Amino acid sequence: MTKWRTHVAKSSGLNTRRALARATAAALTAALVATGASSAVAADGPGASASRSHLDVKPSGGEKYGTSAMPGDAPINPVFGVDGAGDLWSYDPDFEGGLDARWDAGYGWQTARAMTQVDQDADGFSDGIWHVTSEGQLYWAPWNAEEHTLVGNGWKIYNQLFSGANLGGAGADDLLARDSSGYLYLYLGYGNGKLTQRYKVGGGWNAYTHITGKGDLSGDGKADIVAKDKSGVLWLYKGTGNYKAPFTSRTRVGGGWNTYNNIVSVGDIDIDGITDVVARDKNGALYLYKGTGNGASPFKSRVKIGSGGWNTYRLMF
């Protein structure tokens, strides 16, 4: 088990601790090189931390959202970004259909290969993250945890990895991972950070540049995912709730999605009870595609919620 330094959201001492952690890592690395020691610091450096804020998901004036869905019907989570320095930033929903200003949510993630939010107790809010280190180790990290639990090794074989919410029909979020041969696998979550053996979903998934999802997009109560192919067409895979065959055949959402270099779903951004998707264009602007709950036409027209600067993030989740 690897120990990690805790982080309290919006702590005034965060920058000092981050600088100290980096200085410590640099000094330790230099000492190891000088002595020829074979030991090394943890892959993602000492003191990697992550936290999220508590969101009040029942704002007054709910009628302004113009929907019969109730807040809480879809997962409600911040959008996180990791910049080139390894700093973690959080953007909370602003209850007006956009995102609040970012706040400092952690540090030490400069070599993380993948990160994804996870809801372990099925309350609609993420409880922490699964993350893959540069050495291919998968860890479970509850928010503000001092220790990250090793789930397994060998995860470097996957080039896409994310939690698409509860796909297998049990209570906790599950994990999807695609290997370099294009096979997609489903790992079922136990609700404590641990995972079952993998189940093969199918091949041919290397046709897609981006795969994401975090809840129901089609209105049937089952978690769905979307995938963008290399020609810029977005496809919907409706969930079945059956881990042995978790998706139906794909249906076309629409073309033109090659304007985006990242597509992410964290759940419900505009707090109308329906899962949404955010997409970042090549100029660094961020757009929100509000979910409709209709599988035949799952998104409304896009709305710009970030004018620029989002290209600073090498990971978004």
Side-chain angles (χ1 to χ4, degrees):
M1 182 176 293
T2 303
K3 288 186 176 292
W4 309 74
R5 185 174 302 172
T6 189
H7 166 66
V8 178
K10 302 184 181 179
S11 169
S12 61
L14 177 62
N15 291 332
T16 300
R17 290 199 302 276
R18 180 185 293 121
L20 180 60
R22 288 176 179 162
T24 302
L28 181 55
T29 300
L32 290 172
V33 171
T35 60
S38 59
S39 301
V41 295
D44 290 313
S49 65
S51 64
R52 65 160 290 172
S53 62
H54 173 74
L55 296 174
D56 178 5
V57 297
K58 295 184 178 180
S60 60
E63 67 278 357
K64 67 185 176 183
Y65 298 109
T67 177
S68 59
M70 294 297 293
D73 289 352
I76 299 176
N77 297 303
V79 176
F80 287 97
V82 177
D83 64 22
D87 296 333
L88 180 66
W89 300 92
S90 175
Y91 295 81
D92 295 335
D94 64 4
F95 299 106
E96 299 289 342
L99 298 171
D100 274 333
R102 72 179 191 175
W103 60 270
D104 215 336
Y107 59 93
W109 301 102
Q110 54 267 33
T111 59
R113 291 174 58 88
M115 301 171 71
T116 185
Q117 299 186 65
V118 191
D119 179 8
Q120 300 286 16
D121 56 8
D123 66 351
F125 304 94
S126 61
D127 303 302
I129 57 175
W130 279 313
H131 66 92
V132 179
T133 70
S134 59
E135 297 174 348
Q137 295 172 312
L138 177 69
Y139 282 91
W140 157 242
W143 298 126
N144 297 311
E146 293 186 1
E147 296 182 348
H148 294 194
T149 302
L150 178 64
V151 179
N153 297 296
W155 288 77
K156 208 170 183 177
I157 64 172
Y158 298 119
N159 55 27
Q160 285 210 31
L161 180 147
F162 71 99
S163 173
N166 176 9
L167 295 164
D173 279 3
D174 305 315
L175 188 64
L176 286 168
R178 184 189 67 186
D179 68 17
S180 58
S181 298
Y183 287 102
L184 188 69
Y185 295 92
L186 173 65
Y187 292 82
L188 303 179
Y190 281 114
N192 58 5
K194 297 180 180 179
L195 296 164
T196 65
Q197 67 184 47
R198 69 181 188 177
Y199 297 91
K200 184 184 288 186
V201 176
W205 288 81
N206 51 0
Y208 301 117
T209 61
H210 295 85
I211 311 169
T212 190
K214 200 66 169 177
D216 179 20
L217 291 166
S218 58
D220 62 0
K222 298 180 177 66
D224 310 311
I225 64 173
V226 291
K228 186 192 81 171
D229 69 22
K230 295 175 183 177
S231 68
V233 175
L234 191 72
W235 300 89
L236 171 67
Y237 284 85
K238 293 176 62 177
T240 65
N242 176 7
Y243 72 92
K244 294 181 179 179
F247 304 113
T248 63
S249 298
R250 69 181 189 176
T251 57
R252 181 186 171 107
V253 175
W257 288 76
N258 263 352
T259 190
Y260 303 117
N261 59 21
N262 206 348
I263 301 172
V264 177
S265 179
V266 299
D268 183 11
I269 296 293
D270 60 344
I271 320 299
D272 65 354
I274 304 171
T275 292
D276 308 311
V277 165
V278 293
R280 181 185 67 191
D281 72 14
K282 297 172 184 177
N283 295 319
L286 193 71
Y287 293 88
L288 172 66
Y289 285 84
K290 298 180 181 181
T292 65
N294 177 5
S297 181
F299 301 114
K300 299 177 183 178
S301 298
R302 71 179 190 176
V303 177
K304 182 183 282 189
I305 59 172
S307 58
W310 285 82
N311 274 338
T312 192
Y313 301 119
R314 67 177 189 87
L315 296 177
M316 291 174 59
F317 62 97

